[in-house]
Amino acid sequence: MAFSKKTFALVTMLGAFAAPALAQTAATPWELKPDTGYAYDKDGKTLSYKIGTSNAGELLKGAKKVPKGTLFFIGHNGQLYMRSGPYLEGDGKFKFGSDQ
Protein backbone atom coordinates (compact mmCIF):
# COMPACT_ATOMS: atom_id res chain seq x y z
CA MET A 1 0.00 0.00 0.00
CA ALA A 2 1.56 3.29 -1.07
CA PHE A 3 1.14 6.57 0.78
CA SER A 4 2.11 10.06 -0.21
CA LYS A 5 4.97 11.92 1.44
CA LYS A 6 2.59 14.50 2.86
CA THR A 7 0.43 11.83 4.46
CA PHE A 8 3.39 10.42 6.32
CA ALA A 9 4.66 13.87 7.22
CA LEU A 10 1.37 14.68 8.87
CA VAL A 11 1.60 11.57 10.97
CA THR A 12 4.88 12.61 12.58
CA MET A 13 3.36 15.44 14.56
CA LEU A 14 0.30 13.63 15.84
CA GLY A 15 1.71 12.77 19.24
CA ALA A 16 0.82 16.24 20.45
CA PHE A 17 -2.87 15.41 20.05
CA ALA A 18 -2.56 12.23 22.11
CA ALA A 19 -1.28 13.93 25.27
CA PRO A 20 -3.68 16.06 27.29
CA ALA A 21 -2.93 19.72 26.85
CA LEU A 22 -2.72 22.00 29.85
CA ALA A 23 -3.47 25.07 27.77
CA GLN A 24 -4.18 25.70 24.13
CA THR A 25 -1.10 26.90 22.30
CA ALA A 26 -0.75 28.51 18.92
CA ALA A 27 -0.55 26.17 15.94
CA THR A 28 2.91 25.59 14.51
CA PRO A 29 3.63 24.59 10.91
CA TRP A 30 5.09 21.17 10.24
CA GLU A 31 8.49 20.98 8.67
CA LEU A 32 8.12 18.66 5.69
CA LYS A 33 11.47 17.63 4.25
CA PRO A 34 12.01 16.87 0.57
CA ASP A 35 12.99 13.31 -0.34
CA THR A 36 11.67 11.97 2.96
CA GLY A 37 8.87 9.47 3.51
CA TYR A 38 7.00 9.31 6.79
CA ALA A 39 5.32 6.15 8.03
CA TYR A 40 2.84 5.08 10.67
CA ASP A 41 3.67 1.41 11.00
CA LYS A 42 1.54 -1.57 12.00
CA ASP A 43 2.65 -1.19 15.63
CA GLY A 44 1.63 2.49 15.75
CA LYS A 45 5.18 3.85 15.60
CA THR A 46 6.10 6.81 13.42
CA LEU A 47 9.20 6.51 11.26
CA SER A 48 10.92 8.52 8.56
CA TYR A 49 12.79 7.21 5.53
CA LYS A 50 15.12 8.76 2.97
CA ILE A 51 13.43 8.47 -0.45
CA GLY A 52 15.43 7.83 -3.60
CA THR A 53 14.54 9.10 -7.06
CA SER A 54 15.04 5.90 -9.07
CA ASN A 55 11.70 4.44 -7.93
CA ALA A 56 9.66 7.64 -7.49
CA GLY A 57 7.12 6.51 -10.09
CA GLU A 58 6.42 3.33 -8.15
CA LEU A 59 6.03 5.34 -4.93
CA LEU A 60 3.37 7.52 -6.54
CA LYS A 61 1.35 4.55 -7.86
CA GLY A 62 -1.70 4.25 -5.66
CA ALA A 63 -0.74 7.30 -3.61
CA LYS A 64 -3.53 9.77 -2.86
CA LYS A 65 -3.32 13.46 -2.15
CA VAL A 66 -4.43 14.50 1.31
CA PRO A 67 -7.31 16.95 0.96
CA LYS A 68 -6.78 20.42 2.38
CA GLY A 69 -8.70 20.86 5.60
CA THR A 70 -7.84 17.38 6.94
CA LEU A 71 -7.04 16.92 10.63
CA PHE A 72 -5.01 13.92 11.84
CA PHE A 73 -5.01 12.83 15.47
CA ILE A 74 -4.34 9.90 17.78
CA GLY A 75 -7.39 8.69 19.71
CA HIS A 76 -7.37 7.56 23.34
CA ASN A 77 -7.02 4.00 22.05
CA GLY A 78 -3.73 4.85 20.29
CA GLN A 79 -5.31 4.58 16.83
CA LEU A 80 -4.51 7.14 14.14
CA TYR A 81 -7.56 8.96 12.78
CA MET A 82 -8.19 11.60 10.13
CA ARG A 83 -11.16 13.93 9.94
CA SER A 84 -12.26 16.13 7.09
CA GLY A 85 -14.26 19.18 7.89
CA PRO A 86 -13.93 22.24 10.07
CA TYR A 87 -11.52 22.05 12.96
CA LEU A 88 -11.25 25.78 13.65
CA GLU A 89 -13.80 28.04 15.31
CA GLY A 90 -14.91 31.23 13.57
CA ASP A 91 -12.26 33.18 15.50
CA GLY A 92 -9.50 30.82 14.27
CA LYS A 93 -9.09 28.92 17.56
CA PHE A 94 -8.75 25.15 17.45
CA LYS A 95 -12.25 23.71 17.87
CA PHE A 96 -11.11 20.66 19.83
CA GLY A 97 -8.63 22.36 22.16
CA SER A 98 -8.26 21.91 25.87
CA ASP A 99 -11.19 22.93 28.07
CA GLN A 100 -8.81 24.16 30.76
Side-chain angles (χ1 to χ4, degrees):
M1 182 173 187
F3 294 95
S4 74
K5 238 174 29 170
K6 281 190 176 182
T7 300
F8 290 126
L10 296 174
V11 172
T12 62
M13 298 299 293
L14 296 176
F17 291 107
L22 297 177
Q24 186 170 335
T25 58
T28 53
W30 293 358
E31 183 182 335
L32 305 179
K33 297 179 182 178
D35 302 321
T36 304
Y38 301 89
Y40 179 67
D41 76 6
K42 65 181 182 175
D43 297 320
K45 292 186 282 182
T46 55
L47 306 162
S48 62
Y49 299 94
K50 180 74 175 158
I51 294 178
T53 56
S54 62
N55 57 357
E58 186 176 345
L59 176 66
L60 289 171
K61 277 186 194 172
K64 297 177 182 171
K65 292 181 181 179
V66 175
K68 292 179 181 179
T70 302
L71 175 68
F72 293 86
F73 61 96
I74 303 287
H76 290 296
N77 60 359
Q79 177 63 48
L80 175 65
Y81 292 92
M82 62 183 273
R83 179 184 192 278
S84 295
Y87 54 87
L88 297 177
E89 299 286 356
D91 61 2
K93 289 185 181 175
F94 184 59
K95 191 175 195 175
F96 306 102
S98 174
D99 296 328
Q100 299 177 354

